[in-house]
Amino acid sequence: MSGYPDAIGPAKVVERELERAEALMQRLDELSREQQQMIERDDLESVLGVMPEREQLVSKLGGHATSLEKCLGELGSGDAADESHALRARADALAALASDVLLRDATHQRALEARRDDAAAALTRVSSGRGALRAYSGGSKREAPRFQDRQG
């Protein structure tokens, strides 16, 4: 006996979970595409602005993935083989979309890391330039000594 009421079998549960997960994944895909445009425009503040929503979506998707995996494993191959096949195809399409988002995110991460490295190099050049400027300008003026040894 399964853990599902007679009226709601694993196929219905999978369908409901898929609908929820598809909506979340579509929104995550939209955010990922928007984030790509933000990075191309060098609008890093906006990239940071979408992070909380992305984290929330990923967290919710994790819960649905666990439930989906369990329910898909319980789908039989009996009378509802066509329905089971269609649900598994939807789950595969959802996994493919998740893979696309992950690939895009990896590209975003590399672009952001390159920008970070460029900024660090620029800061290093500024610091080196200041040091060189001080060396050639005679350094800072020294104050007269405050304490003197007059007794020899």
Side-chain angles (χ1 to χ4, degrees):
M1 177 169 187
S2 73
Y4 303 102
D6 291 336
I8 302 177
K12 278 291 181 198
V13 173
V14 168
E15 187 172 353
R16 288 179 186 171
E17 287 296 319
L18 275 171
E19 287 170 0
R20 292 178 185 134
E22 286 167 342
L24 292 169
M25 184 55 72
Q26 287 171 357
R27 179 62 184 143
L28 186 61
D29 184 49
E30 289 170 10
L31 282 177
S32 179
R33 291 175 191 281
E34 290 172 16
Q35 189 174 9
Q36 182 176 1
Q37 292 171 353
M38 292 171 198
I39 291 170
E40 289 169 359
R41 289 190 316 261
D42 208 24
D43 185 3
L44 301 181
E45 278 188 48
S46 294
V47 171
L48 293 174
V50 300
M51 290 307 211
E53 183 179 357
R54 282 182 56 97
E55 289 175 15
Q56 197 174 43
L57 288 169
V58 169
S59 177
K60 287 179 183 179
L61 276 165
H64 288 289
T66 302
S67 178
L68 264 172
E69 187 177 330
K70 178 181 178 245
C71 294
L72 281 169
E74 294 179 14
L75 284 179
S77 57
D79 315 51
D82 289 341
E83 183 180 23
S84 175
H85 180 70
L87 291 171
R88 290 181 195 279
R90 282 177 63 190
D92 290 344
L94 185 64
L97 182 57
S99 179
D100 290 347
V101 169
L102 286 172
L103 288 172
R104 199 174 312 119
D105 285 353
T107 302
H108 298 165
Q109 183 176 352
R110 285 191 299 274
L112 291 171
E113 287 172 351
R115 283 194 171 86
R116 179 201 60 204
D117 294 345
D118 290 346
L123 288 172
T124 299
R125 287 190 300 273
V126 167
S127 295
S128 298
R130 285 183 185 157
L133 185 60
R134 271 195 306 272
Y136 284 108
S137 68
S140 63
K141 295 187 178 191
R142 296 185 181 179
E143 295 180 21
R146 292 184 189 174
F147 303 103
Q148 295 179 0
D149 182 11
R150 295 183 184 239
Q151 290 185 354

